[in-house]
Amino acid sequence: MKVRVLGTAAGGGSPQWNCGCPECEAARDTGRARTQDGLAVSGDGSAWYLVNASPDLRAQLLATPELRPPAGTRDTPVRGVLFTSAELDHTLGLLGLREAAALDVYATAWVHEALTTAFPLTTVLSGYTRIHRHDVRDGEPIELAGGLRVTATVLSAKRPRYASELPPGEAVCAYRFDAGGRAVVYAPGLAAWGPEFETAIDEADIVVLDGTFFTEDEMGPARPASGMGHLAVREQLPLIHARPRTRFLFTHLNNTNPLLRPDAPELAEVTAAGASVAADGRLLEL
């Protein structure tokens, strides 16, 4: 199995275009930009699946050798797109794939509903290409091309702001990918580390998980991390330390997160727990 980390920043990327905070200024001055979060996963190195489609997707595709079309063709190694949520930073990039002959889109029924009604992204896209909808259900494996199996674990009912009128449902999930006896879990929207998540990561080789905020009060007392559907990194570290056989990588870093700085003292805590911070473009081979 191969996993290409396409982007590692939360919504807006790093630096954010309209932010002059110290973290964003440092990102501008040093060129340490991060694109918005996403993965590409393959079970055989030929058939690839995108996990989320950020507004930065076109640049990410162009920067990824494995996702280039074969010379002289209009074919693509991309076989489908899986959404962990209906958030704008996870879905807007799908519009950039409108030239595809067809798109296989995998998500929970709640996410499909949000992208059909509250924000009709797939409805708009259906005027340009064929959309094949696939519902993922909590705990039910789906066989994908290239010997890849994916299983969703519902994490929370946190709705995007544009979908606040929809009833609560399975709005956020993690995905576990299995191929050739190896397993990778992707959970950029982890609200709580409960028994269901423990089951999802059991015997996984790599877990790429929510690193949005380093502390619960990073955005101030009025905007706690938990209130925005994210479990702070510092609260995850003891749980990670208890799983030394699994490799943990943090992704979806907000522009306020000190882990964006390579000299941040907080990185020592992450390293001591046996984890690290994912980097844009990184290839993970299992």
Short mmCIF file of all heavy atoms in Angstrom, two decimals, residues 169-216:
data_model
loop_
_atom_site.label_atom_id
_atom_site.label_comp_id
_atom_site.label_asym_id
_atom_site.label_seq_id
_atom_site.Cartn_x
_atom_site.Cartn_y
_atom_site.Cartn_z
N GLY A 169 -26.50 14.03 12.12
CA GLY A 169 -26.32 12.70 11.54
C GLY A 169 -24.87 12.33 11.48
O GLY A 169 -24.03 12.90 12.21
N GLU A 170 -24.53 11.38 10.62
CA GLU A 170 -23.17 10.87 10.51
C GLU A 170 -22.34 11.83 9.64
O GLU A 170 -22.02 11.55 8.50
CB GLU A 170 -23.19 9.46 9.94
CG GLU A 170 -23.94 8.49 10.85
CD GLU A 170 -23.98 7.08 10.30
OE1 GLU A 170 -23.88 6.90 9.06
OE2 GLU A 170 -24.13 6.14 11.11
N ALA A 171 -21.99 12.96 10.24
CA ALA A 171 -21.39 14.06 9.48
C ALA A 171 -19.88 13.94 9.33
O ALA A 171 -19.31 14.51 8.40
CB ALA A 171 -21.74 15.39 10.14
N VAL A 172 -19.22 13.25 10.24
CA VAL A 172 -17.75 13.14 10.21
C VAL A 172 -17.36 11.69 10.44
O VAL A 172 -17.87 11.03 11.36
CB VAL A 172 -17.10 14.02 11.30
CG1 VAL A 172 -15.58 13.93 11.22
CG2 VAL A 172 -17.55 15.48 11.16
N CYS A 173 -16.45 11.19 9.62
CA CYS A 173 -15.99 9.82 9.80
C CYS A 173 -14.48 9.74 9.60
O CYS A 173 -13.84 10.64 9.06
CB CYS A 173 -16.71 8.85 8.86
SG CYS A 173 -16.24 8.98 7.13
N ALA A 174 -13.93 8.64 10.06
CA ALA A 174 -12.55 8.26 9.76
C ALA A 174 -12.60 7.10 8.77
O ALA A 174 -13.62 6.41 8.66
CB ALA A 174 -11.83 7.83 11.03
N TYR A 175 -11.51 6.89 8.06
CA TYR A 175 -11.42 5.74 7.15
C TYR A 175 -10.21 4.89 7.51
O TYR A 175 -9.11 5.40 7.75
CB TYR A 175 -11.27 6.19 5.70
CG TYR A 175 -12.52 6.77 5.10
CD1 TYR A 175 -12.58 8.10 4.72
CD2 TYR A 175 -13.66 5.99 4.91
CE1 TYR A 175 -13.73 8.65 4.17
CE2 TYR A 175 -14.81 6.51 4.36
CZ TYR A 175 -14.84 7.85 3.99
OH TYR A 175 -15.98 8.37 3.44
N ARG A 176 -10.45 3.59 7.52
CA ARG A 176 -9.35 2.63 7.65
C ARG A 176 -9.16 1.94 6.31
O ARG A 176 -10.11 1.38 5.74
CB ARG A 176 -9.66 1.59 8.72
CG ARG A 176 -8.56 0.52 8.84
CD ARG A 176 -8.92 -0.53 9.88
NE ARG A 176 -7.96 -1.63 9.86
CZ ARG A 176 -7.21 -2.00 10.89
NH1 ARG A 176 -7.32 -1.36 12.05
NH2 ARG A 176 -6.38 -3.02 10.80
N PHE A 177 -7.95 1.98 5.79
CA PHE A 177 -7.61 1.34 4.52
C PHE A 177 -6.74 0.12 4.80
O PHE A 177 -5.72 0.21 5.50
CB PHE A 177 -6.85 2.31 3.61
CG PHE A 177 -7.66 3.50 3.19
CD1 PHE A 177 -7.62 4.67 3.93
CD2 PHE A 177 -8.48 3.45 2.07
CE1 PHE A 177 -8.38 5.77 3.55
CE2 PHE A 177 -9.23 4.54 1.69
CZ PHE A 177 -9.19 5.70 2.43
N ASP A 178 -7.16 -1.03 4.25
CA ASP A 178 -6.41 -2.28 4.41
C ASP A 178 -6.02 -2.81 3.04
O ASP A 178 -6.84 -2.82 2.11
CB ASP A 178 -7.27 -3.31 5.13
CG ASP A 178 -7.45 -3.02 6.61
OD1 ASP A 178 -6.60 -3.47 7.40
OD2 ASP A 178 -8.41 -2.31 6.96
N ALA A 179 -4.78 -3.26 2.93
CA ALA A 179 -4.30 -3.90 1.69
C ALA A 179 -3.03 -4.68 2.02
O ALA A 179 -2.14 -4.17 2.71
CB ALA A 179 -4.00 -2.87 0.61
N GLY A 180 -2.96 -5.91 1.53
CA GLY A 180 -1.75 -6.71 1.70
C GLY A 180 -1.33 -6.91 3.13
O GLY A 180 -0.13 -7.01 3.43
N GLY A 181 -2.29 -6.98 4.05
CA GLY A 181 -1.95 -7.19 5.44
C GLY A 181 -1.49 -5.96 6.19
O GLY A 181 -1.07 -6.06 7.35
N ARG A 182 -1.56 -4.79 5.56
CA ARG A 182 -1.17 -3.54 6.21
C ARG A 182 -2.39 -2.63 6.32
O ARG A 182 -3.35 -2.78 5.54
CB ARG A 182 -0.05 -2.83 5.43
CG ARG A 182 1.12 -3.71 5.04
CD ARG A 182 1.78 -4.39 6.24
NE ARG A 182 2.42 -3.46 7.15
CZ ARG A 182 3.70 -3.07 7.03
NH1 ARG A 182 4.43 -3.53 6.02
NH2 ARG A 182 4.23 -2.24 7.91
N ALA A 183 -2.34 -1.68 7.24
CA ALA A 183 -3.51 -0.82 7.48
C ALA A 183 -3.10 0.60 7.80
O ALA A 183 -2.15 0.83 8.56
CB ALA A 183 -4.37 -1.39 8.61
N VAL A 184 -3.85 1.55 7.23
CA VAL A 184 -3.67 2.97 7.49
C VAL A 184 -5.02 3.56 7.86
O VAL A 184 -6.03 3.26 7.22
CB VAL A 184 -3.11 3.71 6.25
CG1 VAL A 184 -3.09 5.22 6.48
CG2 VAL A 184 -1.72 3.22 5.92
N VAL A 185 -5.05 4.40 8.89
CA VAL A 185 -6.28 5.08 9.31
C VAL A 185 -6.09 6.58 9.12
O VAL A 185 -5.03 7.13 9.44
CB VAL A 185 -6.62 4.77 10.78
CG1 VAL A 185 -7.85 5.56 11.23
CG2 VAL A 185 -6.86 3.28 10.96
N TYR A 186 -7.14 7.21 8.60
CA TYR A 186 -7.11 8.66 8.35
C TYR A 186 -8.28 9.29 9.10
O TYR A 186 -9.44 8.95 8.84
CB TYR A 186 -7.23 8.91 6.85
CG TYR A 186 -7.23 10.36 6.43
CD1 TYR A 186 -6.19 11.20 6.76
CD2 TYR A 186 -8.26 10.86 5.64
CE1 TYR A 186 -6.18 12.53 6.33
CE2 TYR A 186 -8.26 12.17 5.21
CZ TYR A 186 -7.22 13.00 5.56
OH TYR A 186 -7.22 14.31 5.13
N ALA A 187 -7.98 10.20 10.04
CA ALA A 187 -9.02 10.79 10.88
C ALA A 187 -8.71 12.26 11.15
O ALA A 187 -8.28 12.64 12.24
CB ALA A 187 -9.12 10.03 12.20
N PRO A 188 -8.94 13.14 10.16
CA PRO A 188 -8.62 14.56 10.35
C PRO A 188 -9.66 15.33 11.15
O PRO A 188 -9.46 16.52 11.41
CB PRO A 188 -8.55 15.08 8.92
CG PRO A 188 -9.51 14.23 8.16
CD PRO A 188 -9.40 12.86 8.79
N GLY A 189 -10.75 14.68 11.56
CA GLY A 189 -11.81 15.35 12.31
C GLY A 189 -12.15 14.61 13.58
O GLY A 189 -13.32 14.31 13.83
N LEU A 190 -11.16 14.30 14.39
CA LEU A 190 -11.37 13.49 15.59
C LEU A 190 -11.86 14.36 16.74
O LEU A 190 -11.15 15.22 17.25
CB LEU A 190 -10.05 12.81 15.99
CG LEU A 190 -10.10 11.84 17.16
CD1 LEU A 190 -10.99 10.65 16.84
CD2 LEU A 190 -8.69 11.38 17.52
N ALA A 191 -13.10 14.12 17.16
CA ALA A 191 -13.69 14.91 18.24
C ALA A 191 -13.46 14.26 19.60
O ALA A 191 -13.35 14.95 20.61
CB ALA A 191 -15.19 15.08 18.01
N ALA A 192 -13.38 12.93 19.64
CA ALA A 192 -13.18 12.21 20.90
C ALA A 192 -12.53 10.86 20.58
O ALA A 192 -12.84 10.24 19.57
CB ALA A 192 -14.51 12.00 21.62
N TRP A 193 -11.65 10.43 21.46
CA TRP A 193 -10.94 9.16 21.29
C TRP A 193 -11.71 8.11 22.09
O TRP A 193 -11.38 7.81 23.23
CB TRP A 193 -9.50 9.31 21.78
CG TRP A 193 -8.58 8.20 21.46
CD1 TRP A 193 -8.75 6.87 21.73
CD2 TRP A 193 -7.30 8.32 20.81
NE1 TRP A 193 -7.67 6.14 21.29
CE2 TRP A 193 -6.75 7.00 20.73
CE3 TRP A 193 -6.56 9.38 20.31
CZ2 TRP A 193 -5.50 6.75 20.18
CZ3 TRP A 193 -5.32 9.12 19.75
CH2 TRP A 193 -4.79 7.83 19.68
N GLY A 194 -12.74 7.55 21.49
CA GLY A 194 -13.59 6.60 22.19
C GLY A 194 -13.35 5.17 21.76
O GLY A 194 -12.43 4.88 20.99
N PRO A 195 -14.17 4.23 22.24
CA PRO A 195 -14.01 2.81 21.91
C PRO A 195 -14.09 2.53 20.41
O PRO A 195 -13.37 1.66 19.90
CB PRO A 195 -15.16 2.15 22.66
CG PRO A 195 -15.54 3.10 23.74
CD PRO A 195 -15.28 4.45 23.21
N GLU A 196 -14.96 3.25 19.70
CA GLU A 196 -15.08 3.02 18.26
C GLU A 196 -13.78 3.37 17.53
O GLU A 196 -13.35 2.65 16.62
CB GLU A 196 -16.24 3.84 17.68
CG GLU A 196 -17.61 3.46 18.21
CD GLU A 196 -17.91 4.10 19.56
OE1 GLU A 196 -17.09 4.92 20.03
OE2 GLU A 196 -18.96 3.78 20.13
N PHE A 197 -13.16 4.48 17.96
CA PHE A 197 -11.89 4.86 17.33
C PHE A 197 -10.79 3.87 17.71
O PHE A 197 -9.95 3.53 16.88
CB PHE A 197 -11.51 6.27 17.73
CG PHE A 197 -10.30 6.81 17.01
CD1 PHE A 197 -10.33 7.00 15.63
CD2 PHE A 197 -9.13 7.10 17.69
CE1 PHE A 197 -9.21 7.47 14.95
CE2 PHE A 197 -8.01 7.58 17.02
CZ PHE A 197 -8.06 7.76 15.65
N GLU A 198 -10.80 3.40 18.94
CA GLU A 198 -9.82 2.39 19.35
C GLU A 198 -9.93 1.16 18.46
O GLU A 198 -8.92 0.60 18.04
CB GLU A 198 -10.06 2.00 20.81
CG GLU A 198 -9.52 2.99 21.82
CD GLU A 198 -8.03 2.82 22.04
OE1 GLU A 198 -7.47 1.76 21.70
OE2 GLU A 198 -7.41 3.77 22.54
N THR A 199 -11.16 0.74 18.16
CA THR A 199 -11.35 -0.41 17.29
C THR A 199 -10.83 -0.13 15.89
O THR A 199 -10.20 -0.99 15.26
CB THR A 199 -12.85 -0.78 17.22
OG1 THR A 199 -13.30 -1.12 18.54
CG2 THR A 199 -13.09 -1.94 16.28
N ALA A 200 -11.07 1.08 15.38
CA ALA A 200 -10.65 1.44 14.03
C ALA A 200 -9.14 1.40 13.88
O ALA A 200 -8.62 1.03 12.82
CB ALA A 200 -11.18 2.82 13.66
N ILE A 201 -8.41 1.79 14.92
CA ILE A 201 -6.94 1.86 14.80
C ILE A 201 -6.24 0.61 15.30
O ILE A 201 -5.01 0.53 15.27
CB ILE A 201 -6.38 3.10 15.52
CG1 ILE A 201 -6.58 3.00 17.03
CG2 ILE A 201 -7.02 4.37 14.97
CD1 ILE A 201 -5.91 4.14 17.80
N ASP A 202 -7.00 -0.38 15.76
CA ASP A 202 -6.41 -1.59 16.30
C ASP A 202 -5.51 -2.27 15.27
O ASP A 202 -5.95 -2.57 14.14
CB ASP A 202 -7.50 -2.55 16.76
CG ASP A 202 -6.95 -3.74 17.51
OD1 ASP A 202 -6.01 -3.56 18.32
OD2 ASP A 202 -7.44 -4.87 17.29
N GLU A 203 -4.27 -2.47 15.61
CA GLU A 203 -3.26 -3.11 14.76
C GLU A 203 -3.00 -2.36 13.46
O GLU A 203 -2.47 -2.92 12.51
CB GLU A 203 -3.64 -4.57 14.46
CG GLU A 203 -3.69 -5.43 15.72
CD GLU A 203 -3.90 -6.90 15.41
OE1 GLU A 203 -3.98 -7.26 14.21
OE2 GLU A 203 -3.98 -7.69 16.37
N ALA A 204 -3.35 -1.07 13.41
CA ALA A 204 -3.01 -0.26 12.23
C ALA A 204 -1.52 0.04 12.24
O ALA A 204 -0.91 0.22 13.30
CB ALA A 204 -3.81 1.04 12.23
N ASP A 205 -0.94 0.11 11.05
CA ASP A 205 0.48 0.45 10.95
C ASP A 205 0.70 1.95 11.10
O ASP A 205 1.65 2.38 11.76
CB ASP A 205 1.01 -0.02 9.59
CG ASP A 205 0.92 -1.51 9.42
OD1 ASP A 205 1.79 -2.22 9.95
OD2 ASP A 205 -0.05 -1.98 8.79
N ILE A 206 -0.16 2.74 10.46
CA ILE A 206 -0.04 4.19 10.48
C ILE A 206 -1.40 4.80 10.74
O ILE A 206 -2.41 4.35 10.18
CB ILE A 206 0.52 4.73 9.14
CG1 ILE A 206 1.94 4.19 8.90
CG2 ILE A 206 0.53 6.25 9.11
CD1 ILE A 206 2.50 4.57 7.53
N VAL A 207 -1.44 5.82 11.59
CA VAL A 207 -2.66 6.59 11.83
C VAL A 207 -2.34 8.05 11.55
O VAL A 207 -1.45 8.63 12.18
CB VAL A 207 -3.19 6.43 13.26
CG1 VAL A 207 -4.43 7.29 13.48
CG2 VAL A 207 -3.50 4.96 13.55
N VAL A 208 -3.03 8.63 10.58
CA VAL A 208 -2.89 10.06 10.25
C VAL A 208 -4.11 10.74 10.86
O VAL A 208 -5.24 10.50 10.43
CB VAL A 208 -2.83 10.28 8.72
CG1 VAL A 208 -2.58 11.75 8.40
CG2 VAL A 208 -1.74 9.40 8.10
N LEU A 209 -3.89 11.58 11.87
CA LEU A 209 -5.02 12.03 12.67
C LEU A 209 -5.00 13.52 12.95
O LEU A 209 -4.06 14.24 12.60
CB LEU A 209 -5.11 11.23 13.96
CG LEU A 209 -4.18 11.54 15.13
CD1 LEU A 209 -4.63 10.74 16.36
CD2 LEU A 209 -2.73 11.21 14.81
N ASP A 210 -6.06 13.95 13.59
CA ASP A 210 -6.39 15.35 13.80
C ASP A 210 -5.33 16.09 14.61
O ASP A 210 -5.13 15.82 15.79
CB ASP A 210 -7.74 15.43 14.51
CG ASP A 210 -8.37 16.80 14.48
OD1 ASP A 210 -7.65 17.79 14.31
OD2 ASP A 210 -9.61 16.87 14.60
N GLY A 211 -4.68 17.07 13.96
CA GLY A 211 -3.73 17.92 14.65
C GLY A 211 -4.13 19.38 14.57
O GLY A 211 -3.27 20.26 14.61
N THR A 212 -5.43 19.65 14.46
CA THR A 212 -5.90 21.02 14.22
C THR A 212 -5.36 21.99 15.25
O THR A 212 -4.75 23.01 14.91
CB THR A 212 -7.44 21.07 14.23
OG1 THR A 212 -7.95 20.07 13.33
CG2 THR A 212 -7.93 22.44 13.77
N PHE A 213 -5.58 21.69 16.52
CA PHE A 213 -5.14 22.57 17.60
C PHE A 213 -4.23 21.81 18.55
O PHE A 213 -4.50 20.65 18.88
CB PHE A 213 -6.34 23.12 18.38
CG PHE A 213 -7.33 23.86 17.53
CD1 PHE A 213 -8.59 23.33 17.29
CD2 PHE A 213 -6.99 25.08 16.95
CE1 PHE A 213 -9.51 24.01 16.51
CE2 PHE A 213 -7.91 25.76 16.16
CZ PHE A 213 -9.16 25.24 15.93
N PHE A 214 -3.19 22.49 19.05
CA PHE A 214 -2.31 21.82 20.00
C PHE A 214 -2.94 21.77 21.38
O PHE A 214 -2.80 20.79 22.10
CB PHE A 214 -0.96 22.53 20.07
CG PHE A 214 0.04 21.76 20.90
CD1 PHE A 214 0.61 20.60 20.41
CD2 PHE A 214 0.38 22.19 22.18
CE1 PHE A 214 1.51 19.87 21.18
CE2 PHE A 214 1.27 21.47 22.95
CZ PHE A 214 1.84 20.31 22.45
N THR A 215 -3.65 22.83 21.77
CA THR A 215 -4.30 22.87 23.08
C THR A 215 -5.78 23.17 22.92
O THR A 215 -6.23 23.71 21.91
CB THR A 215 -3.67 23.93 23.98
OG1 THR A 215 -3.78 25.21 23.37
CG2 THR A 215 -2.21 23.62 24.25
N GLU A 216 -6.54 22.84 23.94
CA GLU A 216 -7.98 23.05 23.94
C GLU A 216 -8.34 24.52 23.82
O GLU A 216 -9.33 24.88 23.16
CB GLU A 216 -8.57 22.46 25.24
CG GLU A 216 -10.01 22.80 25.53
CD GLU A 216 -11.02 22.10 24.64
OE1 GLU A 216 -10.60 21.31 23.76
OE2 GLU A 216 -12.23 22.35 24.79
#
